[in-house]
Each structure stands twice: as structure tokens, then as C-alpha cells.
Amino acid sequence: MAMPHPSLAVYTPSAVDPFDYTKAAHLLNRAGFGGTPAEIERVMKLGPRNAVDWLLDFPDAPADELSQDDVPNMSAVDGYPTSFREYRKLLESKTREERMALQQQFQAANREAVRETRAWWMRRMAYGPFPLQEKLTFFWHGHFTTSAQDERSAMLIWNQNETLRRFAAGNFRAFTHNISRDPAMLDYLNNSQNKKGRPNENYARELMELFTLGIGHYTEADIKEAARAFTGWAHEGDEYVFRKYDHDFDEKTFFGKRGNWDGSDVIEIILSRKRCSEYIAARLWSYFVADPVDESLAEALGETMYSAKYDLRPVLRQIFTSKGFYDPKVIGSQIKSPIQLVIGTIRQLDLEMPSVGALQNALTQMGQVPLAPPNVKGWPGGRTWINTTTLFVRYNTALWLTGGEVPAATGRKMLDRVMKRNGQVNFNPAAGENDVDAVVNAWTSKLIQRPVGDKQKKVLAEALAGKPNREENVRRMVQLIVSMPEYQLC
């Protein structure tokens, strides 16, 4: 049994270490996409444990099960069939030329349907009822990776997104079994082409390397045998099918165990190894708290998950209520991902969601577009978000969201081709309109959410030019705030 780890001791507020505004904002930033002042105040009143319970209190269900009104409106896309059955019917009794024309029409409509799905998801991140569920869904999107750029069907991408949402904080065992049968995943990692006598190793390899164990905890022989076990796993339209004539029913030796294993058996053998729980728990800690994760911490977190039979909520609760999560070195140390930067700014400034075209252009240049991870490894994150090109775009995007004009010369495609003046922000400084310090403190508290140095405050105060009740002065000051290095961190 893993030894207790000091970072996992429960954080208990005290007079010398209170659960203050900064810590409450930290929880909402990491377990969601940031909080408004009112939300932060609510979390402060709840306290750290009750706040985590509140954040984790969401149904293990997809969005369409909760509300048919809150789903991507693919039916509004001209020429896009709403089901595979409808698509096949459209192709019936058509000549070869007619089929080719319909397929080209479908491909164009499919691209539009992907954009609609992406826009829907970003709206849900910004305004949805369960911020932690959407943050976890995005985490799993970068873990069980599939890209709409490689998948011919927006419907399958949407269905997979709903699977990620359904199991976001559910049971990892059930999650892995379900994602292994997911049509978009079967396409992305070529398991639909995995047949007896001609095994395709892609899914078997990534299942162990990226999804469950990590590099170095399996052999090439294990990959080959696992690939044989997954032969015949395919799909027809949006339904998983087992093609028994393509399956290899001969005995296989996997992790030293010999038997007539299929894909489900392989998954169970993997899950029986504590290394799996340690790997997944460490991935969660790395994403929500800090990286790297030392071995003893991974073992302790993994023990929680393993003892809970792979239920995810116990380990998530342990993470978000731990001393390590509230360590001063952790708060404000994470470079915001492009999605965190954009969605967080929209939430903190109470903006309407800009057009997906404008945002997609900016997100592409910053290196993170939902539904389009760069490869099966997902987004590496961390310091890779910041370089000379992306930093410039990050500043310009935040500037635009606060109502500023994007400079004409970017050195790449002009962001201002699609980013017209936003102008949605209310710059009325509600707290002390004629008090320079009060206005500076109100806006830094709203946007940075951590203490700001006196030098930075002096620069911000100078931007107000002694007239903090003038909208243009407040606008100038806010645009300086979102250009501060501190704003790139959460």
C-alpha cells in the first residue's frame, strides 16, 4: 500500500492560511474556466470542501440526455444528413456521378457541422451549468484523442464528445471499455482495419502508451498480442460492431497471461495493474495542479483510484481538497492554455461568445483548436504554449476581447480580417468611480485574481490619468491588465 503523501493532506483553512479570494479563484480557474467575482464570493462562503462537492455535483450523463435544446444544431447545416441512415438513403439509386456530387456536398456540410459542434462546445465551456464537467471533458479530449480533421463524420465526433462528458468523472474502467468501442476512435486509430492475419497495432499501442500505462510499462510482444485481441472491433455508421469473421480466436499471451483473449480481456488485464491507476491519477494531477509528478505522489493518488475500483470522483476530490493544490507555489503558476485564456476572458468580462470563425483563427495561431488536437498525444501544454509568435497572438486576442483593435501587422495572417472591434465590455468601474486605487484594485481582482505588485499598480493607475470615471481611461487600463504577464497565468 502506498504511503501517505504530504501534498495530499487535506487543506484546512486557518487564521494564518485562510480560504480567501485568491484560493477560491484558484479553485474555479483550475476546476473550470475561471470565475466571476460573484462566483468567487460564493465559493469562499462554501469553503474548500463544500465547494469541491458543489463542483463535482453533476450528472454522469451526456448533454443531449439532459436537454434536447442544448445540442449542436447540425440540422441547420444545409445538406448535412442528421443520421447515417439518412445518408445511406440519399445515396440509394444514384448514379456514380450523382453519388460523387452528393459526397462532395456532404464533405462541405460536414466541415460546417464540425464548426457548429465546436462553437456549441465553447459556449458550453463559457456558460454551461457544470464547469468542472466541461473542464474534465476537455482534459479527456486531450487524453483519449481523436481529431475531426481525420474523421469524416461530425456526428461521430459529437457522439464521442458526449461519451467523454458522460464518463468525465465516472468510472475509468467503464470509460476505457466504451472509448475502445467508439466509432470515431476506431477510425482514428485504424482499428476498423484490424483483421485476423493482418493485425493493425495502432490502437493496441496507444491504449497502453498513452491511454492507460505510459511508455516503458509493456513490451512490443504485448502490443502484438493485444492487437490480435482487438481484431474484428469495428463500426457500421454510428454503431459499434464485432465482426467475428475478422477476429483472431487463437490463444494469445498478454502480460504473461495466456488465453483466448479479446479486447475486453486485454483492458481488464491492464486495469488489474496498479500502474494504470497511478498513471491516470498522475495525469490528472499534472493537468489540474502541477507538473512533474513525483513517483510517491503518483503511487498515493493511484492507491485512491485503485481502492475505489477506478471511480474518478474520489481521486478528483482528493486532488482539489489537498494542501498541494493550494500550495502558494502552485497558485498562479500554470500557463493558461489558449482555450483557458479565451474562455476565461469571456467569463470574467461577461461577454457574448464571439463568432467561432474569429476565435478559430486566433486559436489556430495559438496552437489549440477544440476537436483538432495536433496528434494522438494531444496538446503537450505547459511552456509549449508560449513562444515569440503565440505570445503576440495571445496578447492581441485578449486585447481584442476587451474591445481593442488588433494591430494590422502580425507577421502572419491578419487577425483583424475576422476580428472586428468587440466593444462588448462594460467599463463602468462600479467600485469607487472617482477613486483611482479602488478602480485599479477592482479590475485586478476581477481579472488577475491574485495580489499585484505596487509597480504594476502604479502603471495601471497612470493609465487612468486621474480620471477613473472616464470609460476610455478604464478601457486603456483593462487592456494593460490583460497584457500583463500575470494574466497569462492561472
Side-chain angles (χ1 to χ4, degrees):
M1 183 173 178
M3 295 294 291
H5 193 282
S7 293
L8 296 180
V10 176
Y11 164 66
T12 302
S14 65
V16 295
D17 188 17
F19 186 63
D20 55 12
Y21 189 92
T22 296
K23 288 188 176 70
H26 171 64
L27 177 60
L28 289 174
N29 276 317
R30 297 295 182 90
F33 297 94
T36 64
E39 290 167 338
I40 295 168
E41 292 290 342
R42 178 185 179 185
V43 165
M44 283 178 63
K45 290 178 181 178
L46 285 171
R49 297 187 199 182
N50 289 337
V52 171
D53 288 341
W54 167 65
L55 287 165
L56 283 168
D57 185 21
F58 56 81
D60 295 327
D64 66 347
E65 186 176 305
L66 301 177
S67 172
Q68 286 297 313
D69 295 327
D70 184 20
V71 295
N73 187 18
M74 295 186 198
S75 62
V77 178
D78 185 36
Y80 190 78
T82 56
S83 69
F84 281 94
R85 182 176 298 177
E86 181 182 338
Y87 176 57
R88 286 191 291 265
K89 190 174 181 180
L90 284 171
L91 297 179
E92 286 178 2
S93 304
K94 297 292 192 297
T95 65
R96 181 175 179 274
E97 290 75 16
E98 288 172 333
R99 287 190 174 203
M100 289 180 63
L102 280 170
Q103 287 169 346
Q104 289 177 349
Q105 179 185 355
F106 174 75
Q107 289 169 1
N110 188 71
R111 289 191 290 271
E112 181 59 33
V114 169
R115 284 192 289 271
E116 171 58 29
T117 303
R118 181 177 293 125
W120 170 85
W121 192 13
M122 291 181 67
R123 288 193 297 271
R124 191 171 175 88
M125 291 180 200
Y127 313 122
F130 308 117
L132 180 51
Q133 186 181 40
E134 295 309 315
K135 189 69 172 280
L136 282 163
T137 301
F138 199 71
F139 164 77
W140 293 117
H141 174 47
H143 181 83
F144 290 123
T145 305
T146 302
S147 173
Q149 294 176 321
D150 299 288
E151 173 52 59
R152 294 172 296 172
S153 171
M155 283 180 286
L156 295 188
I157 290 294
W158 154 245
N159 288 341
Q160 185 186 84
N161 189 263
E162 288 281 68
T163 296
L164 302 181
R165 186 168 291 103
R166 175 187 171 196
F167 289 102
N171 184 275
F172 185 76
R173 167 176 274 106
F175 198 170
T176 308
H177 280 287
N178 274 266
I179 205 71
S180 298
R181 291 169 170 81
D182 177 79
M185 179 64 76
L186 291 168
D187 282 346
Y188 184 62
L189 290 178
N190 310 112
N191 208 78
S192 291
Q193 288 81 50
N194 188 12
K195 301 177 181 180
K196 180 180 180 179
R198 292 179 290 133
N200 186 301
E201 297 177 2
N202 284 2
Y203 185 69
R205 181 180 299 278
E206 305 309 349
L207 174 67
M208 286 178 273
E209 179 177 323
L210 298 175
F211 299 167
T212 59
L213 295 172
I215 295 173
H217 295 273
Y218 54 87
T219 67
E220 286 297 311
D222 291 323
I223 292 171
K224 293 180 184 299
E225 296 294 87
R228 291 175 57 212
F230 280 103
T231 51
W233 286 42
H235 72 97
E236 291 181 1
D238 56 1
E239 296 291 333
Y240 163 79
V241 295
F242 175 65
R243 293 174 177 158
K244 64 180 181 179
Y245 296 109
D246 289 334
H247 181 67
D248 185 341
F249 285 97
D250 293 337
E251 283 194 337
K252 309 157 190 81
T253 302
F254 182 66
F255 283 124
K257 298 177 182 291
R258 186 165 180 81
N260 183 14
W261 311 129
D262 65 6
S264 295
D265 298 317
V266 163
I267 292 169
E268 287 299 319
I269 293 170
I270 289 172
L271 291 166
S272 70
R273 304 171 76 84
K274 286 193 173 182
R275 167 61 193 174
C276 178
S277 62
E278 293 167 5
Y279 175 75
I280 298 303
R283 288 291 303 268
L284 289 166
W285 182 273
S286 176
Y287 185 82
F288 288 105
V289 187
D291 193 46
V293 184
D294 69 64
E295 186 177 342
S296 60
L297 176 57
E299 288 177 357
L301 284 168
E303 183 65 37
T304 298
M305 185 179 291
Y306 196 82
S307 298
K309 299 181 180 179
Y310 283 96
D311 282 342
L312 291 166
R313 273 186 174 80
V315 74
L316 289 167
R317 184 173 286 105
Q318 185 175 31
I319 288 171
F320 291 127
T321 59
S322 68
K323 284 186 176 180
F325 180 75
Y326 290 106
D327 189 318
K329 294 179 182 178
V330 169
I331 297 173
S333 68
Q334 188 178 77
I335 297 173
K336 294 177 182 176
S337 71
I339 282 293
Q340 186 81 26
L341 177 69
V342 168
I343 300 298
T345 302
I346 289 169
R347 285 184 51 75
Q348 289 169 339
L349 294 176
D350 193 25
L351 301 177
E352 293 181 10
M353 181 67 67
S355 74
V356 68
L359 289 176
Q360 184 168 324
N361 188 37
L363 289 168
T364 297
Q365 294 190 46
M366 289 188 284
Q368 188 178 48
V369 179
L371 308 183
N375 52 54
V376 70
K377 293 181 180 180
W379 294 282
R383 293 186 178 273
T384 64
W385 292 132
I386 301 292
N387 57 49
T388 53
T389 300
T390 60
L391 187 59
F392 190 70
V393 179
R394 289 169 72 98
Y395 285 148
N396 278 344
T397 302
L399 179 69
W400 170 71
L401 287 169
T402 57
E405 296 283 2
V406 177
T410 64
R412 298 183 65 180
K413 289 184 177 180
M414 307 298 184
L415 282 177
D416 56 340
R417 289 179 183 174
V418 289
M419 283 188 164
K420 303 304 180 186
R421 192 175 184 86
N422 193 20
Q424 297 182 49
V425 185
N426 177 10
F427 289 100
N428 177 29
E433 289 188 4
N434 293 307
D435 186 327
V436 169
D437 290 339
V439 172
V440 169
N441 288 334
W443 280 98
T444 54
S445 177
K446 183 183 181 75
L447 295 172
I448 302 295
Q449 302 174 338
R450 303 182 302 280
V452 174
D454 291 339
K455 288 184 178 179
Q456 291 100 320
K457 285 186 176 181
K458 182 180 179 181
V459 172
L460 297 175
E462 290 172 353
L464 293 173
K467 297 180 179 179
N469 58 341
R470 295 184 62 179
E471 180 180 338
E472 59 267 34
N473 292 354
V474 177
R475 182 189 298 273
R476 187 184 309 118
M477 181 199 67
V478 170
Q479 289 168 355
L480 285 175
I481 292 174
V482 300
S483 299
M484 290 167 61
E486 290 87 345
Y487 191 69
Q488 300 297 319
L489 302 171
C490 69

